[in-house]
Amino acid sequence: MQFNKSLVTLSVGTVFSCFGHSAESISTPSIETISVVSSRVEQPLSEMATSVTVLTEADLDALGQISLADTLRSVTSVGVSNSGGLGKVTTVRIRGEEGFRTTVLVDGVDLADPSAPQITPVFDDLLTSQVQRVEILRGPQGLLYGADAGGVIRITSSELRPGTSGEISVQMGAENTQQYGAKVGYANETSHVFLSAGKTNSDGFNAQKADESGEEDGYENTTLHLKAETKLTDSLSVNLVLRDVDSQVDYDGCSDNVTFATTHVCASEAEQETQRLAFVYKQEQYRQEVSYSNTDVRRDSFSNNLLGFTNEGKIKKFGYLGEMDFDNHRIVGGFEKKEESIPTEKRDQHSLFAEYQYQYDKRWTTTAGIRHDDNDTFGTNTSYRLGSAYLIESGLPGTLKLKATYGTGFRAPSLFEQAYNDGDFAFGAAKDLQLTEETSEGFDIGAEWFLDNTFVGITYFNQKIEDEIQFDPVSFQGYLQTEGESESKGVEVEWHHTPSSQVKLWGNYTYNDSETQTGEQRLRRPEHLANVGINLFNQSGEFSVNANAHWEKDAIDIGGEPLDDFTTINLSAQYQLSDTVKLNARIDNVFNREYEQVKGFNTASRSAFVGAEWQF
């Protein structure tokens, strides 16, 4: 392995010469850690049968990435494929399932892109600058979010301090990347309002190996995010979320509008507007929420500087969520009406869902949930989820949790998929093929051991998709419906150890055996994924240094071509210069490893960044 020894030595030496300060400590998962992602209500990990990972603000700072997708690479069972750098097409797969089966919410706002072929969440434009907390639910257990949810990522934007507060941040580094951010807010006992704005520019690098010109494929992103809440009475409150993302990205490998020849002068401009309004009525044992949200996306694609085509889509949701909590019994349920539309098609889907949770003797929690969806194009479907978690606290140190879940789901073909097959570009077997819904099922079983300063978890998972819809990746006929079942199964291992307030060690490993209906390995799913990291802090709480390694092995691309096995190592450091100023620095891909995540697309070389935050 070749690398610049002097650069690495200088970086590490500089970090440790300053060591004597420390930043906010990163905690080890606790049995009492609260999460909302599993059942849309607050629950401690002790009561959850599902597999959940929580990233705190300290975790995000330690990893230091600009892109949230790059941050998620460190999470158990999360695989990421990126096609050429910041802002390019990015797919996040949980337990080996397709990225469009992942549901992503920011402050309750669904970030699905209705203009995309499978209404994929918009990871390309999702940055970490406005994020404070991330919760990841793994597997097809998102019953309360939608029957097609194969994993859920719940994101919380920055929280507020009492009174008036704000922050200004800047980060600069490789590929002439510049990121500027500003946050301002006000909070008192009855109300809060928070506004954040972020601007990111990067010259990027040459995205595709086939482009021999060496030109850079740049990226721009402007994100505005507003959240506000006020109490109308002691029990009733109203909250509002507004989010607007404008982005422009250059990329390679599109078709000329006239000759249809491949060109590498390609660009896409996108605007995503989302709004959510909710009324929440809360008493000691009851909580009810009525909400309305709207997502509107327009994406213009250019070839050789001429407009080629435009994709548009809208999703409107009206929903009700209720929670009743009586001693050891809890019921969560509601309904939702969703309207999806593209310029040529529109459809509605009505959903009812409920989950019952029972806890016996504070040690044994069981859950049973059911969901009924009525799609006006594809009819009805009923799905369900069962789970159980049992705590063992005697006869061994700490607490051992045994857990198991089983869930089912379905996904109706997207409007785009069917419209493509009915359009002029489809041919062969896909031409006029009328697609039907996919169905899925999955289960996992595992154990988690919580000690004072240590966490260890191991889980076996197995999930199947029947009648899967796929775009023909070889001859590009259109969308085909495969017969039989695709499968993704494997083992997850996760551990955290904090031997002192100054040191934390962590790691995870995932073995993922994924197969198509014909028994072949599924594309871009490494059989082996692993992460290992160390976080070092000092006694005074002002400085930290962090290192983490990411490893992938045994993945293939189209045509069975093997992708690179690779390991990358990242370093980062944070220094709290004063009560209001924090400095940060990081080096990604320290050893300058060359590899491909998607065949034919370049990845970033060694990259260094520095930044600062000023709070007021």
Side-chain angles (χ1 to χ4, degrees):
M1 184 182 296
Q2 301 296 318
F3 58 93
N4 188 325
K5 292 184 178 179
S6 61
L7 175 61
V8 177
T9 302
L10 176 61
S11 302
V12 176
T14 301
V15 165
F16 281 96
S17 67
C18 298
F19 199 71
H21 307 281
S22 170
E24 180 186 355
S25 178
I26 302 175
S27 61
T28 297
S30 162
I31 198 78
E32 299 302 329
T33 297
I34 298 296
S35 174
V36 179
V37 71
S38 183
S39 295
R40 295 178 64 176
V41 296
E42 291 187 354
Q43 291 176 285
L45 292 184
S46 60
E47 298 178 8
M48 292 184 197
T50 53
S51 297
V52 170
T53 297
V54 177
L55 297 178
T56 66
E57 184 177 19
D59 296 318
L60 298 171
D61 285 347
L63 293 166
Q65 297 296 322
I66 292 177
S67 164
L68 183 64
D70 287 336
T71 300
L72 293 173
R73 292 181 195 276
S74 65
V75 176
T76 309
S77 261
V78 175
V80 179
S81 298
N82 171 265
S83 300
L86 192 63
K88 309 304 186 289
V89 175
T90 302
T91 302
V92 175
R93 299 181 179 90
I94 299 178
R95 287 182 173 173
E97 285 307 333
E98 294 292 354
F100 55 78
R101 293 194 179 92
T102 300
T103 297
V104 178
L105 303 107
V106 177
D107 292 335
V109 174
D110 191 343
L111 292 193
D113 181 356
S115 72
Q118 287 99 3
I119 316 181
T120 308
V122 193
F123 276 106
D124 313 359
D125 298 327
L126 189 51
L127 309 181
T128 59
S129 58
Q130 300 168 342
V131 175
Q132 181 159 335
R133 181 181 174 92
V134 182
E135 302 171 22
I136 302 100
L137 171 65
R138 303 194 293 277
Q141 310 294 343
L143 182 95
L144 276 67
Y145 297 91
D148 58 342
V152 180
I153 299 174
R154 182 181 182 274
I155 300 164
T156 304
S157 64
S158 301
E159 297 294 338
L160 298 169
R161 301 188 301 273
T164 302
S165 61
E167 179 184 296
I168 296 175
S169 63
V170 60
Q171 186 172 182
M172 298 183 177
E175 284 91 41
N176 193 29
T177 300
Q178 304 171 47
Q179 185 176 62
Y180 305 95
K183 306 173 186 177
V184 63
Y186 173 78
N188 59 25
E189 293 181 354
T190 60
S191 304
H192 72 248
V193 60
F194 172 80
L195 174 65
S196 63
K199 176 71 173 178
T200 302
N201 300 307
S202 179
D203 289 345
F205 51 85
N206 190 16
Q208 199 173 103
K209 295 181 183 295
D211 180 10
E212 297 179 355
S213 69
E215 52 86 30
E216 298 171 332
D217 293 305
Y219 176 64
E220 297 181 8
N221 177 302
T222 302
T223 299
L224 300 175
H225 188 88
L226 170 74
K227 67 177 180 181
E229 181 176 357
T230 186
K231 284 189 174 183
L232 303 177
T233 68
D234 289 342
S235 301
L236 180 63
S237 63
V238 58
N239 61 69
L240 174 69
V241 177
L242 302 175
R243 184 177 177 86
D244 184 277
V245 181
D246 289 298
S247 66
Q248 178 177 328
V249 61
D250 301 324
Y251 62 99
D252 294 331
C254 62
S255 298
D256 182 87
N257 298 327
V258 178
T259 66
F260 298 104
T262 299
T263 178
H264 300 299
V265 184
C266 316
S268 175
E269 296 179 358
E271 181 175 9
Q272 182 180 45
E273 298 178 346
T274 54
Q275 309 91 31
R276 184 176 190 269
L277 178 67
F279 290 88
V280 179
Y281 183 77
K282 186 176 181 180
Q283 292 186 320
E284 184 176 354
Q285 294 179 313
Y286 300 91
R287 184 183 185 276
Q288 300 182 76
E289 177 183 281
V290 177
S291 64
Y292 172 80
S293 64
N294 178 70
T295 299
D296 192 344
V297 175
R298 176 187 172 95
R299 192 177 301 274
D300 296 325
S301 297
F302 298 84
S303 173
N304 288 328
N305 300 314
L306 297 176
L307 178 64
F309 58 90
T310 296
N311 286 344
E312 294 181 81
K314 295 183 179 181
I315 298 177
K316 298 179 181 180
K317 290 184 181 181
F318 174 78
Y320 166 80
L321 179 68
E323 174 190 358
M324 295 183 292
D325 199 343
F326 303 101
D327 298 325
N328 299 326
H329 306 268
R330 174 188 281 168
I331 298 174
V332 181
F335 64 84
E336 179 182 271
K337 177 186 176 182
K338 178 170 68 173
E339 177 187 292
E340 299 174 347
S341 62
I342 58 176
T344 58
E345 303 284 345
K346 184 177 76 170
R347 73 176 179 210
D348 292 340
Q349 181 166 303
H350 298 81
S351 305
L352 293 169
F353 55 87
E355 183 175 69
Y356 170 69
Q357 304 172 7
Y358 174 69
Q359 188 178 53
Y360 175 74
D361 196 26
K362 296 184 179 180
R363 292 185 296 117
W364 186 14
T365 302
T366 59
T367 64
I370 189 169
R371 182 183 185 95
H372 182 76
D373 293 286
D374 186 354
N375 187 291
D376 63 9
T377 304
F378 293 94
T380 63
N381 183 273
T382 300
S383 51
Y384 53 90
R385 179 175 79 176
L386 304 172
S388 186
Y390 183 74
L391 304 180
I392 302 174
E393 297 179 309
S394 60
L396 73 167
T399 300
L400 178 66
K401 182 176 81 171
L402 306 179
K403 61 175 187 172
T405 62
Y406 177 81
T408 65
F410 95 112
R411 184 182 79 91
S414 71
L415 294 175
F416 184 98
E417 289 171 327
Q418 189 59 63
Y420 189 97
N421 281 6
D422 294 339
D424 297 332
F425 292 101
F427 65 93
K431 181 63 176 175
D432 296 325
L433 176 65
Q434 299 304 296
L435 302 168
T436 61
E437 68 272 15
E438 304 172 338
T439 58
S440 60
E441 65 175 345
F443 74 91
D444 61 20
I445 184 169
E448 296 174 345
W449 192 14
F450 298 85
L451 293 94
D452 289 341
N453 299 310
T454 302
F455 168 82
V456 179
I458 182 169
T459 303
Y460 172 80
F461 63 90
N462 187 308
Q463 47 207 45
K464 299 176 182 179
I465 307 292
E466 189 169 359
D467 300 326
E468 187 174 10
I469 300 169
Q470 295 178 336
F471 187 79
D472 178 8
V474 179
S475 56
F476 312 113
Q477 300 175 73
Y479 290 91
L480 302 175
Q481 192 119 35
T482 57
E483 295 183 358
E485 294 180 337
S486 63
E487 185 176 28
S488 184
K489 59 185 178 181
V491 177
E492 304 164 341
V493 179
E494 182 178 7
W495 59 273
H496 299 254
H497 179 54
T498 308
S500 72
S501 61
Q502 297 174 259
V503 179
K504 178 180 178 180
L505 308 170
W506 61 271
N508 55 68
Y509 166 77
T510 305
Y511 171 72
N512 187 189
D513 179 14
S514 61
E515 294 183 354
T516 66
Q517 294 81 356
T518 58
E520 299 173 344
Q521 183 178 348
R522 299 171 77 183
L523 304 182
R524 300 169 190 161
R525 276 84 160 174
E527 285 192 358
H528 305 276
L529 273 174
N531 296 276
V532 63
I534 181 172
N535 311 115
L536 302 175
F537 313 86
N538 88 322
Q539 295 177 349
S540 59
E542 296 170 351
F543 186 84
S544 71
V545 58
N546 316 279
N548 67 280
H550 176 78
W551 174 63
E552 297 187 14
K553 185 176 185 294
D554 295 340
I556 64 168
D557 212 318
I558 297 172
E561 290 193 58
L563 290 169
D564 296 324
D565 300 338
F566 67 92
T567 302
T568 56
I569 295 177
N570 299 337
L571 294 175
S572 69
Q574 296 83 39
Y575 177 55
Q576 193 73 41
L577 183 64
S578 68
D579 290 341
T580 58
V581 178
K582 182 168 70 173
L583 308 178
N584 59 75
R586 83 173 197 274
I587 301 176
D588 292 339
N589 196 5
V590 171
F591 298 130
N592 206 25
R593 180 74 165 89
E594 294 185 11
Y595 60 95
E596 290 180 327
Q597 297 172 319
V598 179
K599 206 68 179 179
F601 287 85
N602 293 311
T603 52
S605 57
R606 181 191 302 116
S607 307
F609 302 85
V610 295
E613 298 175 5
W614 174 53
Q615 294 183 340
F616 58 89

